[in-house]
Amino acid sequence: MGFIKEFWEFLKVRKKYWLLPIILVLVLFGGLIVLSQGSAVAPFIYTIF
């Protein structure tokens, strides 16, 4: 949790708010891949890409 707070402070100080959507999309895709590794939904998710 400390990393997230420190990253948010970095974004505020450096005024790099445009990085936030990029990071969020990467985290969402990473979570999607991790969650789909052993599930029955995996074949349907892989057809999207």
Side-chain angles (χ1 to χ4, degrees):
M1 197 65 180
F3 173 75
I4 295 171
K5 184 177 180 184
E6 188 174 333
F7 184 68
W8 178 249
E9 291 297 322
F10 168 77
L11 291 178
K12 285 190 338 189
V13 169
R14 305 280 186 192
K15 302 212 182 333
K16 304 254 185 223
Y17 296 113
W18 57 271
L19 283 174
L20 196 58
I22 297 169
I23 299 298
L24 288 176
V25 167
L26 288 175
V27 167
L28 286 174
F29 277 135
L32 183 66
I33 290 170
V34 168
L35 290 176
S36 68
Q37 283 298 321
S39 70
V41 184
F44 302 108
I45 291 175
Y46 289 127
T47 58
I48 294 173
F49 300 107

